[in-house]
Amino acid sequence: MSHPYDSLPPDAFWRTAVADRSAFDIKGLWRPKWAIGRKEPIVTTGSCFAQHFGRALAARGYAWLDAQPGPRGLDDSQRRDFHYGTFSFRTGNIYTPRMLRQWLDWAFADRMPDEVWEKAGRFFDPFRPGIEPGGFVTLEELCASQTETLAAIRAAIAQASVFVFTLGLTESWQGPEGVEYAICPGTVAGRFDPAQHRFLNHGYAGLMADMEGALSTLFRHNPGVRVLLTVSPVPLTATASGAHVLVATSQSKALLRAVAGALADDPRIDYFPSYEIITAPPFRGMFFAPNQRSIAEAGVAFVMEQFFSVLGRAPAAPRAPAPEPKPAEPPAAEPDSATDLRCEEEILNAFAQPR
Amino acid sequence: MPSPSPANRRANPPADAPLRLAVFGDSHYACVRAAEGRVDLAGLDVEYWGHVGRRFKFLTWADGAIRATDDQTALRFAKFNDKGRTSLPAREFDAILFVGCRLYLTPIFLLVGQARADGQLLSGALIDRLILDRLTGTPTWDFAVQTARLGTRVLISPPSFPTEGGEHGWEALFPDGSALLPDDRALVWDRVQAVMAGSGVTLIPQPADTVAAGATTWLAFATDSHATTGDAEHKNADYGALVWRDALAALRGAV
């Protein structure tokens, strides 16, 4: 008697899809729900790994949307160090679903919390403390910069055909009003106060609620936008959970992966498996740098190869008419292999206890 | 008796010993040279050491001096020095005034003006970075820093803004750079002053009374060749006299 597994294709079986193949010959990991055309404006944001998508899209002539390009006349290193062109807007890394939700809420309310961190006479934005090296010279500059970024988020969402978000972390630090910081107070700037600051490791329900809240805002302001979720394969730099950092990483990534998978049941939402491409057993950790955390250039290239090899092939799903696309920027140069990613959490390394 | 400080290496200099000043520059220093007769240089022993800007790529810093990397360049610099110096040893001077010296800051002012026109925020930290990148990308800035480290006073009078009404080549990059406001200009000068002071260097900003709209210089300070060749870069002795005025004020205030 026949059973459901009789008629499954080879890629449904581990032996034929994985075990009998070279790691580099494993294909079909992603079947996009919809095609993405080169003229469709694409917004990218999220944790560290999301930076690769923006660069790769621009380098391949896709209409990656840079809604906050910064002042004219800056060179590449100035733009990079001041976080222009890293994501579609100058938020710095958005690590958690809560942070995404916060940024979208703030953008459409055109208001941010008043909290500011100070250090050595300079001012730091608690929600993106790394974007201005050394901090803002004046409080007025900081506020003006926030206003500019909120406007850029609104403009980007209004124009986007595709919104790419890379989920990165579940662990976070919150202030007294429940607002979530980009990084623990006292690390980059600010002062840690155990009576005011609370560690929160989001669970599945909380992560899902925040993603649903963020997506609800997104779809409300752009009903036609499609969402592509990814999970960063980059392990935690440090954990405050009390668990071993490797175990804490596994829990975080599992939760984020589960949330992304569940959300991708929605036809407007797709999931691209960059997490699996880097971390799955057949790849034997070969894409990690010697610290077993950073992703080597070859790993990034392999992920992007998988992404772009099928990106334009899927039939376009029916969707609301896209807004008039913004004229594409000239394709950016291929990323420099020496280019380091800008992760605020890297700063945590400076606080690691010597073993 | 205390050892002589690096800033005063002459052992027991007489109280009325002149201050040994070198004016080091590219073609921009011509206006300062031309104005020498108009200013009171009492108490100063002034020497000039310079040549056209394109020879500056053949200069380097070695053994406490600005030196030419080839004989031809050394001779060209010596030609315009009363003592026939083929190099400029920092320790033989109490102060060196860098004039022009390829230290172009005008693009930063235009960038600030362009950002204003575009409605883009240009933060103080980013302006500092622009200034520092521009300076460190210019070898003469390294000469200035090295000279200051040896205890010789360093003053920098950067190239002036282009003469008003002329083309200067930056229009393509900053088409609306002229939106620069006087407050913007003051802000940039403040930041330049702070960045330079961080390396022990004194800025002599372009005299305010020479600045026209945006980042340009009044036509009255153009050289005679402006009318015939459209030279918007070089300035006349009137301009040079004002550079002297401000440089001497800075020197005498500190001597």
Side-chain angles (χ1 to χ4, degrees):
Chain A
M1 180 179 171
S2 149
H3 55 75
Y5 290 89
D6 274 346
S7 55
L8 292 179
D11 71 359
F13 296 92
W14 189 266
R15 184 178 61 77
T16 48
V18 178
D20 288 351
R21 290 173 175 268
S22 150
F24 291 99
D25 197 31
I26 296 173
K27 305 290 184 197
L29 289 169
W30 182 42
R31 296 187 191 95
K33 289 182 178 178
W34 9 263
I36 300 176
R38 286 184 187 270
K39 293 184 177 175
E40 294 188 89
I42 304 170
V43 167
T44 59
T45 187
S47 72
C48 290
F49 199 74
Q51 299 172 33
H52 296 297
F53 284 96
R55 288 179 195 155
L57 285 161
R60 286 166 175 82
Y62 282 82
W64 177 67
L65 209 160
D66 187 357
Q68 196 172 7
R72 272 192 249 187
L74 304 184
D75 67 25
D76 287 347
S77 72
Q78 291 158 349
R79 279 170 52 78
R80 189 173 61 239
D81 291 350
F82 281 77
H83 287 257
Y84 288 108
T86 305
F87 301 110
S88 290
F89 22 74
R90 199 178 173 220
T91 53
N93 296 306
I94 297 180
Y95 292 111
T96 65
R98 174 69 57 86
M99 284 177 66
L100 176 65
R101 183 179 188 170
Q102 287 180 168
W103 274 112
L104 297 186
D105 287 348
W106 294 335
F108 290 102
D110 199 17
R111 179 171 174 77
M112 285 185 69
D114 292 331
E115 186 172 353
V116 170
W117 291 345
E118 285 187 60
K119 184 179 179 183
R122 294 289 181 104
F123 300 90
F124 293 80
D125 186 335
F127 311 104
R128 41 179 198 157
I131 58 152
E132 187 83 357
F136 289 95
V137 174
T138 66
L139 189 57
E140 289 72 23
E141 275 186 0
L142 184 151
C143 295
S145 173
Q146 287 182 335
T147 300
E148 202 173 77
T149 296
L150 296 182
I153 294 173
R154 291 193 298 274
I157 287 174
Q159 295 177 70
S161 285
V162 180
F163 186 92
V164 181
F165 179 61
T166 300
L167 297 92
L169 296 177
T170 59
E171 295 190 15
S172 66
W173 289 90
Q174 297 189 342
E177 306 296 324
V179 70
E180 193 161 298
Y181 303 121
I183 195 165
C184 181
T187 51
V188 176
R191 187 168 12 165
F192 182 72
D193 178 353
Q196 298 280 317
H197 300 129
R198 185 170 74 103
F199 173 72
L200 182 63
N201 196 1
H202 293 281
Y204 182 88
L207 294 166
M208 183 58 87
D210 283 328
M211 278 306 299
E212 286 176 340
L215 291 168
S216 167
T217 303
L218 183 67
F219 289 131
R220 188 164 64 249
H221 291 280
N222 183 345
V225 73
R226 291 162 290 163
V227 176
L228 182 61
L229 298 175
T230 68
V231 172
S232 167
V234 181
L236 277 63
T237 294
T239 179
S241 66
H244 188 286
V245 68
L246 190 148
V247 177
T249 293
S250 187
Q251 171 165 327
S252 279
K253 301 299 178 182
L255 287 168
L256 295 171
R257 176 64 187 87
V259 167
L263 288 169
D265 288 340
D266 185 320
R268 299 168 297 179
I269 302 171
D270 201 355
Y271 170 74
F272 174 72
S274 53
Y275 175 74
E276 287 84 346
I277 293 170
I278 295 295
T279 64
F283 301 107
R284 301 168 193 266
M286 71 173 90
F287 295 134
F288 284 101
N291 67 3
Q292 297 296 308
R293 180 176 179 274
S294 308
I295 310 301
E297 193 73 18
V300 174
F302 189 66
V303 168
M304 294 306 152
E305 185 187 312
Q306 296 278 333
F307 182 70
F308 286 101
S309 66
V310 292
L311 186 61
R313 288 191 196 160
R319 58 184 297 276
E324 192 63 28
K326 182 185 169 189
E329 295 289 327
E334 287 284 353
D336 179 350
S337 62
T339 298
D340 58 333
L341 293 177
R342 305 287 152 177
C343 296
E344 285 97 345
E345 62 171 350
E346 286 289 349
I347 295 152
L348 288 173
N349 278 328
F351 297 86
Q353 295 294 317
R355 298 276 165 108
Chain B
M1 188 172 182
S3 301
S5 73
N8 187 9
R9 288 163 311 287
R10 284 180 290 182
N12 302 318
D16 59 349
L19 183 106
R20 299 164 304 170
L21 173 68
V23 178
F24 167 54
D26 53 18
S27 54
H28 289 271
Y29 87 152
C31 65
V32 175
R33 179 72 180 84
E36 191 187 56
R38 303 191 193 185
V39 290
D40 175 12
L41 296 179
L44 293 174
D45 178 7
V46 180
E47 261 186 60
Y48 296 87
W49 201 73
H51 207 279
V52 295
R54 64 177 178 275
R55 300 309 306 178
F56 271 55
K57 63 185 173 188
F58 302 108
L59 293 180
T60 189
W61 176 267
D63 300 327
I66 302 169
R67 299 179 187 278
T69 56
D70 62 274
D71 291 344
Q72 188 187 21
T73 301
L75 291 173
R76 288 183 181 210
F77 275 80
K79 184 178 171 186
F80 294 105
N81 178 269
D82 289 342
K83 297 179 181 172
R85 290 183 189 272
T86 55
S87 65
L88 192 65
R91 286 192 177 92
E92 293 188 19
F93 297 92
D94 299 301
I96 299 179
L97 171 62
F98 287 57
V99 180
C101 289
R102 328 309 288 157
L103 293 162
Y104 289 101
L105 299 174
T106 302
I108 296 171
F109 290 86
L110 295 173
L111 199 153
V112 171
Q114 186 65 52
R116 175 171 289 286
D118 291 340
Q120 291 275 354
L121 172 72
L122 192 58
S123 65
L126 185 46
I127 293 174
D128 286 355
R129 169 66 181 271
L130 292 166
I131 294 165
L132 205 55
D133 283 358
R134 184 152 278 276
L135 292 176
T136 54
T138 310
T140 36
W141 170 247
D142 183 53
F143 303 163
V145 173
Q146 300 285 1
T147 300
R149 280 185 190 152
L150 293 178
T152 298
R153 184 95 192 271
V154 175
L155 302 91
I156 291 180
S157 167
S160 57
F161 298 136
T163 300
E164 56 177 334
E167 295 279 317
H168 48 71
W170 285 307
E171 293 85 354
L173 193 54
F174 308 112
D176 302 311
S178 59
L180 186 80
L181 299 177
D183 283 352
D184 300 329
R185 212 159 44 222
L187 168 73
V188 177
W189 283 128
D190 282 350
R191 307 302 317 170
V192 174
Q193 203 143 29
V195 169
M196 287 189 173
S199 293
V201 171
T202 302
L203 169 72
I204 306 297
Q206 174 160 354
D209 34 1
T210 67
V211 180
T216 59
T217 302
W218 291 115
L219 184 59
F221 297 100
T223 56
D224 291 343
S225 66
H226 176 264
T228 52
T229 67
D231 176 6
E233 192 160 349
H234 300 105
K235 301 300 178 297
N236 61 22
D238 291 342
Y239 183 89
L242 294 172
V243 172
W244 270 122
R245 177 195 67 188
D246 294 347
L248 292 174
L251 279 172
R252 287 172 174 152
V255 171

